[in-house]
Amino acid sequence: MPINEMLQQNQGKLNSFELEEIYVGSIISGMVEVEWFQKLNKNWIISNNVKTLWSICANIIANDEILDYVSVNSRYSKLVGAQASQDYLNRIISQIPNNFSPTNTLAELESNYIVGVSLREIEIAKSAISKNPFHSTEIFAAASEKISRISSGESSFDLENEFNDIIDKIVSGELTKMVIKTGIEGIDKFLGGIARQEITIGAGRPGHGKTTFASELVLSCIDKNDKLGTPIRVALFELEMSKLWIKTKMVSSESKVSFTAMRNAMLTADERGRVLAAKEGLKRFNGKLFLYDNVYDAPTMNRICRSNKIDLAVVDFITLMDGVGEDKRNELGNIAKMFKRFAKHHNMAYVVLSQLNRGPETREGNRPISADLAESDQLSQLASEILLLFYQYKYSFDPAHINKLRIIFDKARYSGVNETLLFFNPDVITLRDPRPGDFPAK
């Protein structure tokens, strides 16, 4: 590309400060792989703050340590102070746009660097020519050659090959790999499964089965994908319940023994035997299910997902995470954006559970809607699907409703609005498709 044309195209883009912060922030937050750091030439960086972060990241990598928010913050805080470090890192992470592309950002940083060098070379050439005008041709030719060497290596985009690739994937059925089957037909029938590269929101009022939904979903997803021959790795970040009780729920699900009976040590001999037998059955989840009850921040969750090659991560629930204070709207939005970007760039899925406000309790019929989500605008925009959990028994106390959990697909980007009815037992932990006789008539 001619030098003049390149300069014109980049007019107004010479300040790389924000781009540098966004790019480095995406690596520190875990949104993109650490390998992207190696592609950032330190010479392209203008900001002294970002140069410092670059040096910190390079040192962490050289020492074969984990590069993430925690490791960078611990080192940067020694230079600028704990609060200043946290504020700066949070700011550069929060400004990453939804459509962030490390490839495009890197290209723009390189382009800005080339333009900056070009302008400097031109100024040097002009100064030299003013002192020695009889050699202006040679001086300008030398500057042009130096600029051309720096700016060589343009990339191209082949649209025809891009469309050929996606058409081949459609015809071969490869797009089915972009969803994770749940093993619950009532969900898979409408959604196809949990979408990779997306966030799915599951929300309900207290006592409407959010934690049971989370624990049953992870087990069912692993079992279903094992049967399909497409094994997956799943992480459950349980912020509300301790790991002790979430594991007890899973034992109840496997053994079909009452959670209450186990908790109160009221087991019969038969139930005790079934609980012991569950040991063998639960072995199938070894190396596939990862449980955490002490992780409350998105960067650490992302780091765990990256290091364990997680396909599906479930968070129960988002409003208990660090960083959620008075400004819930923006804080929840920032957390959801971090999950969304990470999922997109790592081809995995996040299912994030959230609390609904009291809207259903003031509404005739008590049915929830997505507007009942806490700070719903941010979460609703980022989610590909919104699943609302509606346990009518909590309002009616009608025995006919005691085992009915309705899942309302209030938003479904890849299908449509719908709902399904599942069999639910909050004591003998169960969430599955209905079977004949599950809902006897009055």
Side-chain angles (χ1 to χ4, degrees), residues 92-260:
I92 67 175
I93 290 171
S94 67
Q95 68 186 11
I96 303 172
N98 284 330
N99 61 348
F100 172 77
S101 165
T103 303
N104 294 343
T105 305
L106 196 69
E108 194 164 348
L109 284 170
E110 183 181 18
S111 175
N112 287 351
Y113 167 72
I114 292 169
V115 171
V117 170
S118 301
L119 290 175
R120 286 195 296 273
E121 288 299 323
I122 291 171
E123 289 301 317
I124 291 171
K126 285 167 63 178
S127 176
I129 290 170
S130 67
K131 296 175 182 177
N132 198 347
F134 296 105
H135 294 281
S136 60
T137 302
E138 294 91 335
I139 293 170
F140 189 76
S144 297
E145 184 180 352
K146 186 173 182 180
I147 293 169
S148 295
R149 285 200 307 270
I150 295 171
S151 61
S152 62
E154 293 185 12
S155 60
S156 61
F157 180 80
D158 191 332
L159 184 61
E160 181 180 352
N161 283 341
E162 291 289 326
F163 275 119
N164 287 342
D165 179 62
I166 191 62
I167 289 171
D168 288 343
K169 287 180 179 178
I170 293 169
V171 173
S172 67
E174 193 175 339
L175 289 187
T176 59
K177 296 178 181 178
M178 294 305 297
V179 294
I180 298 170
K181 296 294 184 182
T182 69
I184 301 173
E185 183 62 25
I187 295 176
D188 291 342
K189 179 174 63 175
F190 293 116
L191 302 184
I194 304 297
R196 289 182 183 268
Q197 302 187 6
E198 299 283 5
I199 297 179
T200 297
I201 300 292
R205 287 291 296 150
H208 281 246
K210 291 189 298 298
T211 301
T212 295
F213 174 79
S215 63
E216 288 290 86
L217 179 68
V218 299
L219 299 183
S220 183
C221 282
I222 293 173
D223 279 341
K224 178 63 175 179
N225 285 274
D226 277 350
K227 290 176 183 176
L228 293 173
T230 55
I232 60 171
R233 295 160 70 88
V234 179
L236 173 57
F237 298 101
E238 182 53 55
L239 281 61
E240 184 177 30
M241 216 175 244
S242 74
K243 192 188 293 187
L244 168 70
W245 296 120
I246 199 69
K247 288 187 292 187
T248 304
K249 276 181 172 283
M250 291 178 175
V251 172
S252 171
S253 175
E254 181 71 17
S255 64
K256 300 308 173 191
V257 173
S258 162
F259 176 83
T260 304

